[in-house]
Amino acid sequence: MDTVAGIDALLFSRIQFGFTIAFHIVFPAFTIGLSAFIATLEVLWLRTKKTHYHTLARFWTKIFAVSFAMGVVSGIVMEYQLGTNWSRFAQIIGNTLGPLFSYEVLTAFFLEASFLGIMLFGWNRFPPWLHTLACIVVAFGTALSGFWILSANSWMHTPSGFAMEQGITYPVSWFDIIFNPSFPYRFTHMMIAAHLTASLVVCATGARYALAGRFMPEARTMLHMGLGMLAVLAPLQAVVGDLHGLNTLQYQPAKVAAIEAHWDGSRPAPLVLFAWPDSAAGRNRAEVAIPNLGSLIITHDWNGRFRGLLDFPADQRPPVLPVFFMFRLMVALGLLMIAIGWVGAWLWWRKRLVDARWFLRPLARAWPLGFIAILAGWMVTEIGRQPWIVYGVLRTAQAASPVTAAQVATSLALFVLVYVVVFSVGVWYIGRMNGSGPQPALPGPETLPNRPLAGGRPAPPARPQVTP
Amino acid sequence: MSDPAYLLPVILALVLGVALSMYVVLDGFDLGIGILFPFFRDESARDQMMNSVAPFWDGNETWLVLGGVTLWAAFPKAFAIILPAMYLPVLVLLLALIFRGVAFEFRWVARHHQRIWDGAFAAGSTLAAFAQGVILGGLLQEIRVRDGQFAGAPFDWLTPFAIMCGLGLVSGYALLGATWLLMKTEGEVERKVRGMVPALLAGLLGFIVLVSVWTPLQIPRIAQRWFSVPNIVFLSLVPVATAFCAWLCWRGIRHGRSVLAFAAAVGVFLLAMAGLVLSNMPYVVPPVLTVWQAASHPASQLFYLVGAAILLPMILAYTALVFWLFRGKIGAGEGYHA
């Protein structure tokens, strides 16, 4: 077999796809939430004429521009990689999934990309209503893009509305393909996750400025809007996550068994708080568990039974270890988000928010929580689907391209090198823009001649700071 | 011949052709700006060049994404053969587009490291153009296929012909970029570009002649199509029209009619593409897969077409709106006119 360092093209392709999509997923998730936030700020500004809304919208648009560019370039890679590395998948599934991706481009990408120009460069050139409209269109486009991608991804988990002929899928019902059984849960779960992620970045930024005593009107708005979203959406996400779990139990029982590290399906499941799942032995080591609670959560019945991993042939069990731990990480972060939202809301109600330094200090550092939760959740759902690329229809091992291991090893090495350099520089630039803060002085085209007032234009000198 | 299984793939091949033509023309001029970047050392000239495409490049590049998904949705068998066959050039294209794409934003926030991202923009644009030409050249040569899968070696595409196609596309995009700058800039940049355009036009024409001679010599199937009677009568219209467009472009440059120069350069480009299509139709992977053999299920094609029929006119409308909103020249040391 053709290998490099003992690794074949398939495994290299799996690593490469996992690596490139892990980098990609955080940018769209962030920009879906952020674009809705910016559009909201612009509408608030149009209605109230309060300048700090406008200042904030401009500030976040700069950060949006850099994040969006990174999402766009890493997204093109995803599309073409389906052909270069997964050509058998592309061919077998093309009839059913190809049109969904086309609809994403036709309905969403062009909308975002075209109105982005107005959003980034139209501040002083167009009337405010047109600019606000462009922001709303961009926000709508990013959400619509999520709709199609989540539909395609859900179909890979719960395929429906298709038939097979000579090993190729054919569409039978487009409605059933698009609105497949897990789609409503996945789409809602991901959209809320995107808004939670952006809200955390926004209120962490607000906390940072409030602690420093800088940009106070803007800081207050960011804290209120960010924490308000967390207080409402984080508990809602727990409910949606629970419904999503019931759906997964129905359609992907092996994934639920792996999430719970539940081996023996003949007995009620405990809630495993900690364990080291041992796939070879078919049991958990060092298990700390609460009896029957697992059954209650999963089946909503104290003595409910659901299938354990041993009920599946060994070649149809997903890798247990990452699924088990990543799920716990995601849930823990979700609970933390609920706590942040509710404590923040309580402080806000007591009018003590901006003085509660004990709360603002950790909050200022909480910005990555949403990104980590999204990556963890993504790993749970995608690794939990293995060994299938399309659940029950096509195995990952049968989906790869007829290319050599050396080619994929080369591409993987280059992607790692380029992504690490380019995206760490990008994130560093975002951090720097975030540190310099919103600039209330609005320079016109005359004062900043070198650019049509773009997203990432150089910031004018910062206002005097109260504390460093 | 009103059988949908016959007609649908033909219509979809046209849609694919439209998507790729839009891409080549639109991203062609903004990649061209990057290719011309090294000839302008002055940062304010570079600002001006980049500003002339900054509001549009993202929309332009989306046509490449549409081209990719159209190929996949409409002709999945071709998608599954072409991309593995072109693994390394596609990799170069993607990495180049990453550097070029982020440079648009990074360049403005980088402060002291601006020149690094200038370099990334120039190198990324040039490499992306070159890789696209190589992919085109590789596709025109025969791809080895067995059992509906790519069955060649990693470097099958690497031939002098493919390299020449790569260089040809770089020179062509540079011409599109230069004529775009004639329209959209003024002052020093416009003056300098005006001096460069005739050489770029001559360069592109040289490559077109070279490809036109080389292709039939190398591929008898194409020679047969062009030089048999009566085809030669109709097909000779293509070189005649190309020569006419080139003459219009030259006149446009000479008389300072920059819109004419740009439109004529686009015309030369589209005619070159038409020549390629005429040489290779009805193949989508010449000469092993026709559009009918590569086509997806009729229900998939129909579903795609319904969306395209409704949405493509809308996309064209708001794309035109954005170009109109940002119309006019951008001068040295200034933003867009209000």
Side-chain angles (χ1 to χ4, degrees):
Chain A
M1 194 173 195
D2 160 51
T3 61
V4 170
I7 301 176
D8 62 2
L10 172 67
L11 185 53
F12 275 127
S13 282
R14 296 178 73 163
I15 299 170
Q16 179 177 308
F17 199 82
F19 178 80
T20 49
I21 203 169
F23 266 84
H24 172 64
I25 194 172
V26 297
F27 296 111
F30 180 49
T31 48
I32 285 171
L34 194 55
S35 59
F37 175 59
I38 292 170
T40 310
L41 286 170
E42 290 242 339
V43 171
L44 285 173
W45 171 61
L46 271 189
R47 294 184 62 143
T48 65
K49 301 289 171 211
K50 288 181 181 164
T51 51
H52 72 282
Y53 288 129
H54 189 239
T55 309
L56 267 179
R58 294 187 77 128
F59 167 68
W60 282 104
T61 302
K62 287 194 256 175
I63 290 171
F64 176 84
V66 176
S67 317
F68 192 85
M70 291 194 279
V72 166
V73 296
S74 57
I76 295 179
V77 171
M78 302 317 302
E79 183 204 347
Y80 279 87
Q81 211 175 175
L82 291 180
T84 51
N85 294 69
W86 303 99
S87 68
R88 289 193 177 92
F89 165 80
Q91 191 179 344
I92 292 169
I93 303 303
N95 283 318
T96 38
L97 283 197
L100 266 52
F101 283 85
S102 312
Y103 270 77
E104 184 194 15
V105 181
L106 289 169
T107 59
F109 276 6
F110 278 109
L111 213 54
E112 294 168 51
S114 302
F115 287 88
L116 184 74
I118 301 174
M119 181 173 170
L120 300 187
F121 305 107
W123 288 104
N124 293 8
R125 190 179 164 86
F126 306 125
W129 67 265
L130 178 59
H131 191 266
T132 305
L133 186 67
C135 290
I136 293 171
V137 170
V138 169
F140 175 70
T142 55
L144 201 55
S145 183
F147 172 92
W148 290 108
I149 281 297
L150 266 295
S151 172
N153 178 261
S154 301
W155 188 87
M156 290 164 68
H157 288 271
T158 54
S160 63
F162 73 104
M164 293 286 275
E165 203 174 298
Q166 294 171 336
I168 304 278
T169 61
Y170 291 101
V172 174
S173 157
W174 287 109
F175 185 88
D176 290 344
I177 291 173
I178 297 167
F179 297 97
N180 56 78
S182 66
F183 168 70
Y185 304 98
R186 255 174 241 284
F187 179 59
T188 317
H189 200 50
M190 188 67 201
M191 283 297 135
I192 296 178
H195 285 89
L196 285 173
T197 302
S199 299
L200 271 162
V201 175
V202 166
C203 62
T205 307
R208 179 180 178 171
Y209 297 145
L211 283 169
R214 304 162 69 194
F215 317 114
M216 282 316 283
E218 288 85 3
R220 247 182 232 110
T221 300
M222 285 191 275
L223 281 171
H224 293 168
M225 288 176 74
L227 289 170
M229 286 290 274
L230 279 180
V232 175
L233 284 186
L236 187 63
Q237 182 73 316
V239 175
V240 172
D242 180 57
L243 294 172
H244 187 14
L246 291 177
N247 177 269
T248 307
L249 181 66
Q250 188 181 347
Y251 291 95
Q252 296 181 296
K255 185 193 285 186
V256 172
I259 286 172
E260 296 301 322
H262 177 51
W263 297 92
D264 182 357
S266 64
R267 284 180 296 184
L271 179 69
V272 182
L273 297 175
F274 180 84
W276 191 264
D278 183 341
S279 298
R283 64 186 186 84
N284 293 331
R285 297 182 189 282
E287 181 178 284
V288 179
I290 304 169
N292 295 62
L293 194 56
S295 282
L296 182 70
I297 292 171
I298 302 291
T299 64
H300 293 196
D301 173 5
W302 184 253
N303 274 311
R305 306 283 157 90
F306 59 95
R307 291 161 80 186
L309 284 158
L310 297 177
D311 297 337
F312 299 90
D315 71 340
Q316 289 186 23
R317 294 178 205 154
V320 185
L321 213 60
V323 175
F324 174 80
F325 281 113
M326 286 300 149
F327 182 79
R328 269 140 195 81
L329 177 60
M330 176 185 77
V331 171
L333 289 171
L335 295 174
L336 185 57
M337 286 178 213
I338 296 176
I340 293 172
W342 284 2
V343 171
W346 183 75
L347 287 169
W348 180 13
W349 179 57
R350 305 289 299 175
K351 299 199 189 332
R352 298 207 313 246
L353 187 54
V354 288
D355 307 313
R357 302 184 75 83
W358 61 269
F359 177 69
L360 295 180
R361 246 186 237 114
L363 180 61
R365 293 175 192 282
W367 65 268
L369 296 186
F371 296 107
I372 301 170
I374 281 181
L375 285 171
W378 163 72
M379 280 190 243
V380 171
T381 200
E382 302 302 312
I383 299 175
R385 189 186 56 210
Q386 301 304 323
W388 303 98
I389 195 166
V390 178
Y391 198 72
V393 175
L394 180 65
R395 280 175 171 270
T396 311
Q398 291 154 352
S401 295
V403 291
T404 62
Q407 276 175 296
V408 193
T410 308
S411 63
L412 173 60
L414 285 171
F415 275 122
V416 170
L417 185 71
V418 168
Y419 274 41
V420 167
V421 170
V422 168
F423 295 128
S424 16
V425 168
V427 171
W428 184 67
Y429 285 154
I430 289 176
R432 202 175 63 184
M433 283 191 274
N434 191 303
S436 65
Q439 303 303 325
L442 303 179
E446 305 76 26
T447 51
L448 259 179
N450 68 342
R451 186 158 205 212
L453 293 174
R457 99 189 98 90
R463 282 196 298 187
Q465 297 172 15
V466 177
T467 44
Chain B
M1 284 299 176
S2 58
D3 178 13
Y6 178 83
L7 213 54
L8 280 174
V10 176
I11 300 173
L12 274 157
L14 282 173
V15 175
L16 180 63
V18 169
L20 290 178
S21 307
M22 288 296 289
Y23 174 73
V24 165
V25 170
L26 292 177
D27 216 28
F29 69 72
D30 62 45
L31 286 169
I33 306 271
I35 296 167
L36 296 173
F37 236 45
F39 301 100
F40 295 81
R41 315 277 331 158
D42 176 33
E43 282 302 316
S44 81
R46 290 180 169 185
D47 289 347
Q48 203 186 340
M49 292 165 77
M50 216 153 179
N51 284 342
S52 78
V53 289
F56 314 114
W57 78 272
D58 198 5
N60 296 347
E61 198 168 89
T62 305
W63 292 97
L64 180 66
V65 184
L66 183 67
V69 292
T70 305
L71 184 64
W72 184 28
F75 306 107
K77 288 178 195 129
F79 184 77
I81 290 171
I82 295 170
L83 284 154
M86 300 299 156
Y87 194 92
L88 294 172
V90 169
L91 172 70
V92 170
L93 171 64
L94 295 174
L95 293 173
L97 288 179
I98 289 177
F99 277 109
R100 181 188 85 108
V102 297
F104 271 100
E105 293 304 328
F106 286 7
R107 186 172 179 272
W108 304 99
V109 290
R111 296 181 200 161
H112 309 302
H113 303 295
Q114 190 172 359
R115 286 206 169 259
I116 294 177
W117 294 109
D118 282 356
F121 182 61
S125 301
T126 311
L127 263 183
F130 180 72
Q132 286 170 17
V134 167
I135 292 167
L136 176 69
L139 183 60
L140 293 178
Q141 305 161 165
E142 195 169 332
I143 294 176
R144 279 192 275 166
V145 175
R146 196 169 48 237
D147 300 331
Q149 295 280 343
F150 168 62
F155 289 98
D156 277 5
W157 51 270
L158 184 60
T159 62
F161 178 74
I163 300 290
M164 189 219 27
C165 289
L167 294 174
L169 206 57
V170 171
S171 102
Y173 283 170
L175 174 68
L176 285 180
T179 48
W180 168 266
L181 287 174
L182 279 184
M183 275 196 315
K184 296 293 281 186
T185 62
E186 51 193 36
E188 188 56 36
V189 173
E190 189 193 11
R191 211 164 21 254
K192 195 164 171 187
V193 160
R194 194 174 297 282
M196 296 167 72
V197 175
L200 290 171
L201 179 61
L204 175 62
L205 289 176
F207 275 112
I208 288 177
V209 170
L210 206 55
V211 175
S212 307
V213 174
W214 197 333
T215 317
L217 283 181
Q218 182 176 285
I219 306 166
R221 166 178 61 84
I222 292 176
Q224 168 72 22
R225 171 160 300 173
W226 282 80
F227 301 120
S228 65
V229 182
N231 288 7
I232 190 163
V233 180
F234 303 109
L235 293 179
S236 60
L237 287 175
V238 176
V240 169
T242 307
F244 179 67
C245 275
W247 175 74
L248 280 181
C249 185
W250 189 68
R251 265 185 68 89
I253 302 159
R254 283 283 301 271
H255 299 284
R257 295 172 60 191
S258 53
V259 178
L260 177 67
F262 178 71
V266 168
V268 172
F269 237 86
L270 292 179
L271 284 162
M273 282 192 74
L276 286 172
V277 171
L278 289 170
S279 299
N280 291 289
M281 69 180 194
Y283 295 111
V284 60
V285 185
V288 290
L289 270 189
T290 65
V291 289
W292 299 286
Q293 290 163 335
S296 58
H297 193 271
S300 306
Q301 299 212 328
L302 201 59
F303 183 59
Y304 177 97
L305 268 183
V306 170
I310 298 167
L311 293 159
L312 273 180
M314 288 167 64
I315 291 167
L316 290 171
Y318 60 67
T319 302
L321 172 75
V322 171
F323 274 90
W324 182 77
L325 283 171
F326 287 98
R327 68 197 176 279
K329 278 175 179 282
I330 177 161
E334 62 175 303
Y336 277 95
H337 301 302

